[in-house]
Amino acid sequence: MFEALTDKFNGVFRKMTGRGRISEDNVREAMREVRTALLEADVHYEVVKQFCDDVVDKAIGQEVIKTLRPGQLMQKICHDELANLMGPVDSRIYVVDPPPTVIMMAGLQGSGKTTTCGKLAKYLDKKDKSSLLVACDLQRPAAIEQLGVVAEQAGTGFFRVEGETNPVKVARKAVNHAMANKIDVVVIDTAGRLHIDDEMMKQAEDIAQATKPHQIYLVCDAMTGQDAVNSAKEFNERLELDGVILTKFDSDARGGAALSVKQVTGKPITFIGVGEKLDDFEEFHPDRMAGRILGMGDVVSLVEQAQETFDQEEAEKMQAKMAKGKFTLTDFMGQMKQMQKMGPMKQILKMMPGMSGNAAALDMISGDEFSKMEAIIQSMTQDERDNPDIIEASRRRRIARGCGMQPQDVSGLVKSFNQASGMMKQMAGMGTRDRMAFAKQMASGGMMGGGMPGKTKQRSKRLSNKQRRKRRRQKRRR
Amino acid sequence: MAIFKKLLNGLSRTKQRFVGGLKSLLVGRTIDAKLLDELEAMLIQADIGVKGTMKIIDDLRTASSEGRIEKGEEVIDFLKNELKTYWPEADRAIHFAESGPTVILVAGINGAGKTTSIAKLAYQFHSGGKKVVLAAADTFRAAAVEQLTIWADRIGCDIIKGSAKDPASVAYDACDAAIAREADVLLVDTAGRLHTQDNLMRELTKIRDVVGKKLPGAPHEVLLTLDATTGQNAIQQARAFVQAIDVSGIFLAKLDGTAKGGIVVAIRNEINLPVKFVGLGETYEDVEPFDPDTFVEALFA
């Protein structure tokens, strides 16, 4: 989503790279473009001003570092400043004992409160916490029904009071209900309201007063313009927010609100909504986000996402196999299936360093490649899958016929499998830290772009006479 | 005159914040670089955008160097005139079908306010003596159909709900029903969708095509519901929706907050899309045809 901003930064820095060091003039020139980019991203006017001033100050003060190229130095300064602006964040939800922990959602109309309630319930469920969604939006027609459906989709409890028109009473009853039934977390959905609607804001205050929430979140649309700070400020003053949940982050909005809200209210963005499904919900990480803005990739998120999806036990088994070098094509296929579970390949690759700007490459590596690989592997016999080395020209032709592809596609797959298993063997022996570094090195070396299967040219595997004789000798010896 | 009062209330809030600032900013000053800088900050904070703001500021600078304006007080009138030319009378009117039902397709991103806006339009037409039918083609969001049904009951108009999950088939059935019941206006509600979701945008194109096949010339109006608090991303939204379904106008919702809706200036500049209605509250009465005079007045008074 921050892509356009990334492009701008890169453009500015590309211009600066190659100059000996940063002078005040070229810093100011760079910042003019950065300023426009940030304003176009809906970062609040005052915040932009502050940001640019800070960066200029820092950059000018750092003339001493002449070893770094200026573009890199500017990138680092901008990165740190951006991260500063958005952080620090502690997304953890502290659950109280005895239960329930009360969480209240508030926000403008249409910001996405009801959907976010469902996402939060799903998130809590992953952390083994039970939750109860409470319908306190008695304003909008069918809002209660909507929350009911969402609760069902999330597989969590749902609480409503038939015929009740006072949300304060509903909220109070819900908390008592949770207390009696030992439900860990109560999530109160409230009606959307304008921050200048005094009566409705008073009602929100009353709900908060009656239920004493442990956390109050403001739900804010990532596409909000300059007015984001006004509403966030007012909600914060009335309700003492604990954090902000930014929704609709999967759009192409550059989400300047993320930069502004923390600055103006002092309250951090804690979570982001990234899609229509209830699983599309992530913790917010300012440093990673800053890295993403600057095109530095988001490796940590990728690893975390992988950890969440991969079956731990399965992974350990796999790792043992890899270490011994006994990794087969069957295992390889299993791994691919798991990777596909993580989400669309494009989305995953976007998190890799250096990949975010490379749209063409991203399109090339689509889900189609995976289904092709799968087809090839499924056309092999079990022996061939266990030991791909036995695949020679005739087997290759048979497999190609079986999956409707060319023989070179088959050899391409085998080749990249051999490469991959070699790397995996290497990685399996490393600690986590080394592995991360290795992955980074791989990515920066352009491993992701080039070596996709099916694209390698076939090099004949036909053996020379000499080799054939040698093989025969070996067989006889066995 | 409840509506009128509401409009004034809504707009006067916009007015107070903006104008209070603008007036005190301008009175008794001459136009110089510092004043233009401050003006620029104000326009940007109204979501008019960097480009739109620069255009206005450049025009002001030219006018001042040519001696057409001098004093700070004159700036307001200058801006008013400039912005009023953005929205000519002709393209703000609703285009009705010559015979048979007029079909109005309403689309927008999630949470923009489509369903509420449709209720408002339905009430307007209904109270104007027209027979209105609603098509509940938001088959995706939980309880969206229920929400529209409640509105239909309150207003007293017909609603067509499909048994299928396919929104295009609901729209098709609704066209049939509108013809059979000799309705004047058919309002088609659609599911909210982000403009970046290509498959959902194609679904929208399909809905429009299906309607057009059933009733030649339909849809007669395609309205994009836009949240007045939206920032610069609204331009991308408008562009994508225009491409998918040939939007004919904007319903600017939620203008009763502190957001100034300046984004419609940017949209007018970039893709020449007019605003047709403004939404100013949560009941079905809270709607007004867009009036550039009032809008600009509210921005700059």
Side-chain angles (χ1 to χ4, degrees):
Chain A
M1 52 155 290
F2 274 114
E3 273 141 42
L5 198 57
T6 309
D7 289 348
K8 285 263 165 62
F9 270 123
N10 281 343
V12 172
F13 295 137
R14 216 169 292 134
K15 255 195 256 169
M16 290 182 68
T17 321
R19 289 183 201 172
R21 54 179 196 182
I22 304 175
S23 79
E24 188 166 343
D25 276 349
N26 39 61
V27 168
R28 290 204 189 283
E29 183 199 321
M31 289 322 284
R32 245 196 307 278
E33 285 185 55
V34 171
R35 173 181 181 268
T36 308
L38 291 170
L39 284 175
E40 276 172 0
D42 291 319
V43 182
H44 190 257
Y45 186 83
E46 296 294 335
V47 179
V48 172
K49 220 167 124 190
Q50 188 67 44
F51 176 79
C52 291
D53 288 350
D54 287 351
V55 171
V56 169
D57 282 352
K58 287 224 168 91
I60 292 169
Q62 295 203 12
E63 264 183 319
V64 273
I65 313 171
K66 287 175 195 161
T67 46
L68 279 173
R69 284 184 302 176
Q72 282 175 333
L73 179 58
M74 276 299 281
Q75 184 148 341
K76 186 185 179 306
I77 295 169
C78 284
H79 175 273
D80 293 351
E81 277 307 304
L82 279 175
N84 269 348
L85 217 56
M86 291 184 282
V89 179
D90 182 5
S91 309
R92 275 170 293 180
I93 293 175
Y94 292 94
V95 177
V96 295
D97 193 41
T101 305
V102 180
I103 295 177
M104 177 175 163
M105 309 291 240
L108 300 172
Q109 290 96 338
S111 53
K113 286 174 295 303
T114 308
T115 309
T116 305
C117 284
K119 290 181 177 182
L120 199 58
K122 204 83 193 268
Y123 174 85
L124 289 164
D125 185 54
K126 277 187 203 160
K127 311 240 164 208
D128 284 326
K129 298 280 175 273
S130 58
S131 58
L132 182 73
L133 302 188
V134 185
C136 284
D137 179 358
L138 311 176
Q139 218 78 18
R140 184 166 57 98
I144 300 174
E145 286 77 4
Q146 188 187 348
L147 190 69
V149 175
V150 166
E152 205 186 305
Q153 285 168 353
T156 188
F158 171 57
F159 188 88
R160 67 180 289 185
V161 181
E162 206 86 44
E164 179 59 68
T165 52
N166 183 354
V168 181
K169 283 186 188 158
V170 178
R172 200 179 283 136
K173 279 182 188 160
V175 174
N176 290 336
H177 175 84
M179 213 180 287
N181 291 283
K182 299 209 163 42
I183 296 167
D184 295 323
V185 184
V186 176
V187 181
I188 301 174
D189 184 26
T190 64
R193 64 201 74 221
L194 278 174
H195 52 291
I196 47 169
D197 187 333
D198 202 51
E199 204 178 309
M200 287 296 286
M201 289 304 279
K202 177 84 183 36
Q203 183 202 69
E205 281 177 323
D206 290 345
I207 296 174
Q209 195 95 54
T211 55
K212 301 265 181 307
H214 300 87
Q215 299 271 321
I216 301 181
Y217 289 119
L218 175 70
V219 181
C220 176
D221 186 330
M223 283 174 256
T224 317
Q226 299 278 326
D227 196 50
V229 295
N230 294 335
S231 48
K233 209 176 186 177
E234 186 68 26
F235 272 101
N236 189 34
E237 270 162 27
R238 304 285 288 246
L239 293 173
E240 281 185 57
L241 303 173
D242 295 282
V244 179
I245 299 177
L246 214 56
T247 58
K248 306 178 206 173
F249 222 54
D250 50 327
S251 71
D252 57 352
R254 286 179 243 156
L259 294 170
S260 320
V261 169
K262 164 78 203 299
Q263 189 77 347
V264 174
T265 61
K267 301 298 155 70
I269 317 280
T270 44
F271 295 98
I272 50 176
V274 290
E276 289 197 342
K277 281 188 238 93
L278 295 182
D279 283 320
D280 301 330
F281 191 63
E282 294 171 5
E283 290 166 10
F284 181 77
H285 298 277
D287 48 337
R288 295 183 203 174
M289 188 55 73
R292 213 148 113 178
I293 298 171
L294 297 170
M296 291 157 83
D298 190 0
V299 178
V300 193
S301 281
L302 180 63
V303 172
E304 249 174 34
Q305 203 171 336
Q307 274 169 349
E308 214 172 288
T309 336
F310 278 64
D311 184 339
Q312 194 60 38
E313 216 173 295
E314 187 81 354
E316 271 163 25
K317 243 192 268 167
M318 214 58 95
Q319 194 165 338
K321 273 187 172 176
M322 280 184 218
K324 285 183 200 144
K326 277 187 187 161
F327 190 67
T328 68
L329 272 170
T330 316
D331 302 326
F332 186 50
M333 201 158 85
Q335 288 253 302
M336 290 197 314
K337 283 241 167 83
Q338 291 234 323
M339 259 171 96
Q340 273 179 311
K341 262 198 273 172
M342 279 167 64
M345 203 53 202
K346 215 166 149 179
Q347 204 179 322
I348 297 171
L349 288 174
K350 262 191 185 167
M351 294 186 211
M352 297 294 291
M355 286 304 280
S356 66
N358 200 346
L362 287 177
D363 281 334
M364 232 171 62
I365 315 164
S366 61
D368 293 354
E369 292 291 345
F370 274 139
S371 35
K372 270 192 205 160
M373 286 162 80
E374 202 177 342
I376 297 175
I377 294 174
Q378 276 169 347
S379 299
M380 293 178 183
T381 65
Q382 193 58 49
D383 278 353
E384 285 161 352
R385 289 182 209 183
D386 290 341
N387 184 14
D389 284 339
I390 63 170
I391 301 175
E392 26 63 291
S394 131
R395 283 178 189 266
R396 193 156 51 225
R397 274 197 302 275
R398 194 206 75 245
I399 296 167
R401 265 201 312 278
C403 59
M405 264 171 277
Q406 297 300 315
Q408 57 260 43
D409 294 326
V410 180
S411 53
L413 171 78
V414 173
K415 199 173 166 204
S416 45
F417 166 73
N418 283 336
Q419 267 178 4
S421 60
M423 278 187 312
M424 281 166 183
K425 197 174 168 186
Q426 223 177 321
M427 266 173 94
M430 298 176 183
T432 317
R433 180 181 284 258
D434 292 335
R435 221 177 292 168
M436 284 288 303
F438 186 67
K440 253 189 190 164
Q441 196 192 329
M442 260 167 49
S444 62
M447 287 297 289
M448 295 305 292
M452 275 317 277
K455 299 272 186 277
T456 3
K457 252 199 157 170
Q458 180 191 2
R459 247 174 244 126
S460 174
K461 234 205 152 182
R462 232 161 267 142
L463 305 170
S464 68
N465 283 337
K466 204 175 166 189
Q467 282 171 312
R468 219 169 279 152
R469 251 177 276 136
K470 197 176 163 195
R471 186 178 262 197
R472 239 177 285 149
R473 263 202 308 276
Q474 279 173 339
K475 261 190 190 160
R476 241 177 274 140
R477 240 172 258 159
R478 262 185 236 153
Chain B
M1 287 324 276
I3 309 169
F4 186 62
K5 227 172 120 188
K6 200 116 189 183
L7 175 73
L8 274 186
N9 279 343
L11 291 178
S12 71
R13 266 195 296 262
T14 318
K15 224 183 226 170
Q16 273 163 15
R17 301 181 63 99
F18 203 85
V19 176
L22 194 68
K23 264 219 172 108
S24 60
L25 183 77
L26 296 170
V27 169
R29 293 178 59 177
T30 49
I31 298 168
D32 53 16
K34 189 160 178 286
L35 184 80
L36 289 177
D37 274 354
E38 287 167 37
L39 211 53
E40 183 189 309
M42 292 201 104
L43 293 170
I44 282 176
Q45 284 178 55
D47 286 323
I48 288 175
V50 179
K51 256 197 217 160
T53 301
M54 286 311 160
K55 184 177 180 292
I56 294 172
I57 296 288
D58 283 346
D59 289 350
L60 251 177
R61 195 176 288 126
T62 315
S64 119
S65 67
E66 285 170 359
R68 276 184 284 143
I69 53 169
E70 273 173 15
K71 281 187 284 189
E73 286 90 334
E74 290 169 303
V75 170
I76 296 174
D77 280 330
F78 178 87
L79 291 174
K80 257 195 216 171
N81 283 330
E82 165 133 351
L83 286 176
K84 273 178 196 169
T85 59
Y86 282 30
W87 293 284
E89 182 73 45
D91 62 19
R92 300 199 303 267
I94 281 277
H95 174 247
F96 286 100
E98 278 164 28
S99 65
T102 300
V103 182
I104 303 179
L105 181 63
V106 181
I109 66 153
N110 317 57
K114 283 172 300 302
T115 309
T116 311
S117 299
I118 284 181
K120 291 175 180 180
L121 290 175
Y123 174 75
Q124 282 266 303
F125 294 128
H126 182 79
S127 57
K130 291 198 187 320
K131 184 169 169 58
V132 180
V133 173
L134 305 182
D138 179 356
T139 53
F140 180 78
R141 205 198 69 202
V145 176
E146 287 82 346
Q147 189 182 346
L148 195 66
T149 309
I150 294 172
W151 283 122
D153 290 346
R154 285 187 196 167
I155 297 163
C157 60
D158 290 358
I159 178 166
I160 306 299
K161 300 176 236 181
S163 48
K165 258 281 182 192
D166 175 29
S169 83
V170 178
Y172 186 89
D173 291 348
C175 286
D176 267 341
I179 297 167
R181 297 177 196 188
E182 292 179 353
D184 299 305
V185 180
L186 170 65
L187 288 159
V188 184
D189 187 18
T190 61
R193 65 201 75 217
L194 289 181
H195 53 290
T196 47
Q197 292 161 331
D198 294 339
N199 53 336
L200 294 181
M201 294 305 278
R202 276 197 296 276
E203 178 189 273
L204 207 52
T205 311
K206 184 179 164 195
I207 297 174
R208 187 203 56 179
D209 291 350
V210 161
V211 168
K213 223 171 232 171
K214 188 75 206 166
L215 274 166
H220 307 85
E221 284 287 345
V222 179
L223 296 181
L224 171 66
T225 307
L226 199 65
D227 186 331
T229 56
T230 315
Q232 300 308 303
N233 186 252
I235 300 170
Q236 258 95 284
Q237 285 176 32
R239 211 170 261 145
F241 278 97
V242 165
Q243 206 189 4
I245 47 170
D246 246 329
V247 177
S248 59
I250 291 172
F251 189 116
L252 188 60
K254 309 184 204 173
L255 199 58
D256 47 335
T258 48
K260 288 120 201 158
I263 189 62
V264 297
V265 177
I267 290 179
R268 185 83 227 195
N269 267 339
E270 299 262 329
I271 32 184
N272 204 22
L273 200 59
V275 187
K276 300 215 173 187
F277 296 95
V278 293
L280 294 155
E282 286 189 319
T283 77
Y284 53 67
E285 291 171 336
D286 301 328
V287 58
E288 277 288 303
F290 177 70
D291 175 27
D293 275 13
T294 324
F295 181 75
V296 174
E297 197 90 10
L299 280 178
F300 303 115

